[in-house]
């Protein structure tokens, strides 16, 4: 697949459609040994199989990439997708696919010309582009003093990655009541003061929102991946905080697209279910573990195949 760098295009669509153990226990061989003889019994092999709930918990823990102690973030209400340095029709197809999936999760889509908070760039010189982007807007990549991004070491890796698709995600804690940023931003003299009447040991007055995502596609490393598959892969990483080093080979997911494993060419039922329950999860929970358990519990009960 070839992405030809030529332009930037922005647009959007308005809508779119307990442990289960399987045991294998070889029986001792039948013998005619005399009474008192001790026969040798083969080793007993017990093969464990995770329940759907346990597989879901494993998946959520593996792919979730919230920084520090933050909860898994999601877009709050709206999304604006921008695609640059590719053919006009390719940019439009990519933006439309991300927008369709976003709309299915209840997000509102920005009108043409909106300021992109998901920025997708295609290039043959991915490292150089990443380094230039970080150098040009360091506060865009690391805007706050606290858990807003993956940290310095990961930012350095983002600029020198050998991945076909790399991404950098920024999230912010905000007041659940007002949407006010609840963390000290670079340039602020002091941290903000946030209070909430609903705050308790179990319920927090703060939620975590995605703020922006930078995605770079290295066109020299796409191989024979189809453009439709690439669009679905980018949709997944545009709508959730995804760990780019997650081992997802045991699951039916588009995230295996660039891995040496059976490949999904489109978003799977499992992928859609994960996104659905991420966006339906209670955002007022005070702790990330409680949020992840809620997502995993619903995912494990779904009809999707892990």
């Amino acid at each position: 697949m070839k992405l030809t760098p030529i332009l930037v295009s922005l647009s959007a669509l308005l809508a779119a459609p307990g442990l289960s153990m399987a045991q294998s226990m070889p029986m001792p061989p039948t013998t005619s040994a005399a009474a008192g003889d001790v026969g040798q019994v083969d080793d007993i092999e017990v093969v464990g199989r995770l329940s759907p709930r346990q597989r879901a918990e494993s998946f959520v823990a593996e792919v979730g990439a919230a920084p520090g102690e933050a909860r898994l973030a999601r877009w709050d209400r709206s999304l604006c997708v921008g695609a640059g340095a590719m053919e006009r029709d390719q940019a439009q197809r990519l933006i439309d696919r991300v927008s369709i999936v976003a709309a299915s999760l209840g997000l509102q889509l920005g009108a043409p010309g909106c300021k992109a908070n998901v920025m997708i760039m295609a290039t043959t010189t991915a490292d150089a582009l990443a380094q230039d982007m970080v150098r040009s807007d360091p506060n865009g990549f690391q805007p706050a003093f606290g858990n807003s991004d993956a940290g310095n070491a990961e930012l350095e890796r983002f600029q020198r990655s050998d991945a076909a698709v790399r991404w950098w995600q920024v999230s912010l804690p905000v007041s659940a009541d007002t949407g006010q940023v609840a963390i000290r931003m670079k340039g602020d003299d002091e941290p903000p003061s946030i209070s909430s009447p609903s705050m308790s040991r179990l319920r927090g007055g703060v939620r975590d929102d995605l703020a922006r995502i930078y995605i770079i596609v290295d066109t020299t490393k796409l191989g024979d991946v189809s453009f439709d598959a690439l669009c679905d892969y980018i949709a997944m990483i545009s709508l959730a905080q995804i760990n780019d080093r997650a081992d997802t080979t045991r699951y039916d997911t588009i995230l295996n697209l660039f891995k040496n494993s059976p490949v999904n060419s489109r978003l799977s039922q499992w992928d859609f279910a994960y996104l659905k329950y991420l966006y339906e999860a209670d955002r007022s929970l005070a702790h990330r573990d409680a949020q992840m358990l809620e997502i995993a519990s619903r995912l494990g009960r779904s009809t999707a195949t892990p």
Side-chain angles (χ1 to χ4, degrees):
M1 177 184 58
K2 182 178 180 182
L3 301 182
T4 306
I6 57 172
L7 56 87
V8 174
S9 172
L10 299 175
S11 98
L13 299 181
L14 293 178
L19 182 65
S20 174
M21 300 297 294
Q23 295 183 336
S24 175
M25 302 178 61
M27 297 299 294
T30 302
T31 69
S32 57
D37 288 350
V38 179
Q40 182 175 354
V41 179
D42 291 343
D43 291 339
I44 297 176
E45 178 185 4
V46 179
V47 180
R49 181 173 62 85
L50 295 179
S51 69
R53 167 68 178 268
Q54 289 169 320
R55 284 179 61 80
E57 288 179 0
S58 177
F59 180 80
V60 173
E62 185 71 35
V63 303
E69 297 301 318
R71 292 165 293 267
L72 293 176
R74 43 153 284 193
W75 297 107
D76 181 34
R77 294 185 179 87
S78 61
L79 184 70
C80 180
V81 185
M86 61 185 73
E87 296 278 5
R88 180 185 297 274
D89 64 332
Q90 291 175 328
Q92 193 62 63
R93 285 171 60 193
L94 175 55
I95 292 169
D96 288 350
R97 181 54 178 162
V98 176
S99 298
I100 287 171
V101 180
S104 75
L105 300 172
L107 294 173
Q108 298 175 352
L109 285 305
C114 59
K115 183 178 180 180
N117 45 24
V118 176
M119 289 149 280
I120 309 162
M121 303 293 292
T123 181
T124 59
T125 55
D127 282 3
L129 175 59
Q131 292 161 26
D132 183 62
M133 290 171 65
V134 173
R135 184 170 52 250
S136 300
D137 186 17
N139 287 350
F141 283 81
Q142 295 185 304
F145 296 99
N147 297 332
S148 66
D149 60 83
N152 293 334
E154 289 301 303
L155 185 58
E156 183 67 23
R157 191 171 68 88
F158 168 79
Q159 297 174 76
R160 291 171 173 81
S161 172
D162 59 359
V165 181
R166 69 185 78 182
W167 58 92
W168 184 260
Q169 298 170 322
V170 176
S171 61
L172 293 172
V174 303
S175 167
D177 300 313
T178 67
Q180 176 189 352
V181 174
I183 193 172
R184 183 185 174 195
M185 304 292 286
K186 292 181 178 178
D188 291 348
D189 294 330
E190 57 185 31
S193 176
I194 301 293
S195 63
S196 172
S198 60
M199 190 177 298
S200 69
R201 291 178 59 191
L202 299 179
R203 304 286 173 182
V206 173
R207 66 170 191 261
D208 289 277
D209 288 353
L210 283 170
R212 67 186 67 93
I213 298 179
Y214 305 92
I215 299 171
I216 297 178
V217 180
D218 187 338
T219 60
T220 68
K221 296 178 179 178
L222 293 177
D224 58 358
V225 169
S226 73
F227 188 70
D228 286 340
L230 178 64
C231 289
D232 274 26
Y233 184 87
I234 290 175
M236 186 72 175
I237 63 176
S238 296
L239 295 167
Q241 288 174 308
I242 300 294
N243 178 3
D244 65 348
R245 289 189 278 194
D247 179 6
T248 56
T249 55
R250 296 169 294 167
Y251 303 95
D252 180 26
T253 172
I254 189 67
L255 297 174
N256 291 329
L257 187 62
F258 296 102
K259 298 179 180 178
N260 294 324
S261 62
V263 172
N264 266 336
S265 60
R266 302 306 299 264
L267 283 164
S268 67
Q269 281 188 317
W270 183 255
D271 294 324
F272 276 115
Y274 175 72
L275 292 174
K276 170 182 170 64
Y277 299 132
L278 169 67
Y279 276 76
E280 291 181 355
D282 186 347
R283 306 181 71 192
S284 68
L285 294 174
H287 303 290
R288 177 168 61 187
D289 287 350
Q291 177 206 33
M292 294 174 72
L293 283 173
E294 179 188 341
I295 296 168
S297 177
R298 299 189 65 186
L299 185 59
R301 294 195 303 267
S302 75
T303 58
T305 302

